[in-house]
Amino acid sequence: MTAVLADDPSLIERLLDHIDHKTTHLADGIWREPVEHYTSPARFAAEIELVFRRTPTPFCPSAALPEVGSYVARQAGLTPIVVVRGTDGVARAFRNACRHRGVQVADGSGCRKALTCRYHGWTYGLDGRLRGIPDEHGFPDLEKNEYGLVPVAAVERCGMIFVAQDRPGNDDADIKAVPQLFGANLRLLASTEQDYDANWKIVAEGFLEGYHIRSTHHETFYPRQYDNINVIETFERNSRISFPYRAIEKLRGVARADRKATGVLTQVYHLFPNVMVATFPTNMVMVVLEPLTVERTRLINYTLSDIAEHAEGRAKVDQGRDFVAAGAAEDREMACSAQRGLASRANEVLTFGLFEGAIGHFHRNLDAAIEG
């Protein structure tokens, strides 16, 4: 069952009402998160083991695997994982380790007819089966069928590949609740990685509220958006936050049924626990927040668009991406500063107000996942 989220006319009406009354979405109460949860190695280990390795999470957009043999290899939940599209068109995920000596069989992304370990040349098919061993007589009685790449559960849905390392994830409620986010017409334009010196939860929190827009993004987002005006919707452990642009004003004279969200707001979908999908006028982005240590996070950013087939469209996408990157740099500065501030011991808890309900929803579900 997919999410029941507000349609465009209903959402725009709610946002215009907030603008008129200088209000915003309010949570039921304040959330207080212990600072220890951002600094404790034990808490970090529990998040990796009980959440990241057990929750089906988006690994990459389907557009990153456009053809047979396309693959993406990276670390997820501190585990090397490779996802590859097979000759039957199915996307499969494996633990990225040769069954001989454990060396990774793929790095980064690309397209291959087979996955070959660079150490000794053991070769695996796109289905993970061991296909070839150089000088095979040196391994008498080795059963190839028992030495394929180790699979992990993977399902392709809503334009994304979801991976669950330690349990089947095909029937998970979080996945079923996700709406169709990436259409088949979207193409992957770029993927980038950047490391932040901050706990992954601090980085996530920056996506989940608009209370900071005027203060943090005074010269970037604020001239085009409103400060502290948004609508929050939750679906299972996920959420969607809709941030209006000032351009929404042009819809006041448009019939309610004809009002469309495209070009007048950004929507950020938080897919529990660590993936953000954001909509912009010229493109969409999927951002994976991959924890590296208790105080270091890698952001993997996928940019997709359907208007970049010609030079004019690509120029618009590039311009929009540069604008968003400028705001993202400001968010990065705040996240790293917040992480440093934890060491001051000024706070025992971080206090999230009524404007920051999506953050409370995130932490509430994270606690529940850890506590079982």
Side-chain angles (χ1 to χ4, degrees), residues 35-359:
V35 165
E36 182 184 11
H37 287 179
Y38 302 90
T39 60
S40 165
R43 170 73 178 205
F44 179 78
E47 291 168 352
I48 295 297
E49 181 64 29
L50 301 177
V51 182
F52 280 85
R53 291 178 179 169
R54 297 188 184 182
T55 302
T57 57
F59 184 86
C60 66
S62 296
L65 305 176
E67 58 187 315
V68 170
S70 297
Y71 69 89
V72 174
R74 64 172 178 82
Q75 185 168 273
L78 301 183
T79 305
I81 299 291
V82 58
V83 174
V84 60
R85 192 171 299 284
T87 55
D88 56 0
V90 175
R92 295 179 176 84
F94 304 96
R95 298 185 187 276
N96 188 8
C98 179
R99 298 301 306 284
H100 175 213
R101 301 271 289 277
V103 172
Q104 278 72 73
V105 299
D107 297 301
S109 61
C111 189
R112 297 183 187 174
K113 294 181 180 179
L115 302 177
T116 300
C117 178
R118 293 182 295 115
Y119 199 4
H120 298 93
W122 285 36
T123 299
Y124 303 85
L126 301 179
D127 57 1
R129 294 182 181 180
L130 179 59
R131 300 297 188 186
I133 301 175
D135 298 323
E136 190 171 343
H137 64 273
F139 296 85
D141 302 323
L142 184 145
E143 293 290 340
K144 287 184 181 179
N145 290 337
E146 299 176 4
Y147 279 79
L149 296 176
V150 177
V152 296
V155 60
E156 187 166 12
R157 193 176 187 279
C158 308
M160 293 171 283
I161 315 298
F162 291 78
V163 171
Q165 294 184 35
D166 290 345
R167 67 180 178 91
N170 298 32
D171 59 351
D172 190 273
D174 288 334
I175 295 181
K176 291 181 178 180
V178 176
Q180 184 68 40
L181 294 180
F182 296 113
N185 57 329
L186 289 174
R187 299 291 180 266
L188 180 64
L189 301 184
S191 62
T192 60
E193 294 185 2
Q194 186 178 28
D195 289 357
Y196 283 29
D197 290 326
N199 182 275
W200 71 278
K201 299 184 294 297
I202 287 180
V203 181
E205 292 159 0
F207 287 87
L208 301 180
E209 47 89 1
Y211 183 40
H212 72 287
I213 288 178
R214 179 168 53 188
S215 296
T216 301
H217 305 298
H218 190 74
E219 303 297 331
T220 52
F221 296 161
Y222 180 59
R224 300 190 188 185
Q225 293 181 257
Y226 296 89
D227 182 55
N228 203 25
I229 292 180
N230 53 252
V231 168
I232 298 171
E233 301 166 272
T234 60
F235 49 107
E236 296 296 337
R237 296 185 292 183
N238 313 304
S239 64
R240 181 176 79 171
I241 308 98
S242 299
F243 302 94
Y245 304 155
R246 298 182 189 273
I248 200 173
E249 295 289 344
K250 69 184 181 182
L251 296 183
R252 290 187 182 276
V254 176
R256 185 182 188 279
D258 296 331
R259 291 172 171 174
K260 302 296 182 184
T262 303
V264 299
L265 55 88
T266 279
Q267 292 180 308
V268 175
Y269 293 81
H270 175 211
L271 306 182
F272 184 85
N274 67 320
V275 173
M276 308 292 170
V277 175
T279 66
F280 299 102
T282 62
N283 61 278
M284 295 181 67
V285 299
M286 174 177 165
V287 183
V288 182
L289 313 180
E290 198 57 55
L292 301 179
T293 69
V294 70
E295 57 186 22
R296 192 166 180 81
T297 305
R298 177 162 295 156
L299 269 70
I300 300 98
N301 190 315
Y302 297 96
T303 301
L304 304 96
S305 179
D306 61 357
I307 70 167
E309 299 298 326
H310 52 84
E312 182 180 355
R314 184 59 188 250
K316 289 181 179 179
V317 171
D318 289 344
Q319 183 180 19
R321 189 173 62 188
D322 291 344
F323 174 72
V324 171
E330 294 166 336
D331 283 327
R332 182 175 187 266
E333 181 183 358
M334 294 301 100
C336 295
S337 180
Q339 183 70 39
R340 292 192 298 270
L342 300 180
S344 72
R345 296 180 292 173
N347 298 298
E348 293 185 359
V349 299
L350 299 186
T351 304
F352 299 99
L354 301 184
F355 307 135
E356 302 165 305
I359 298 176

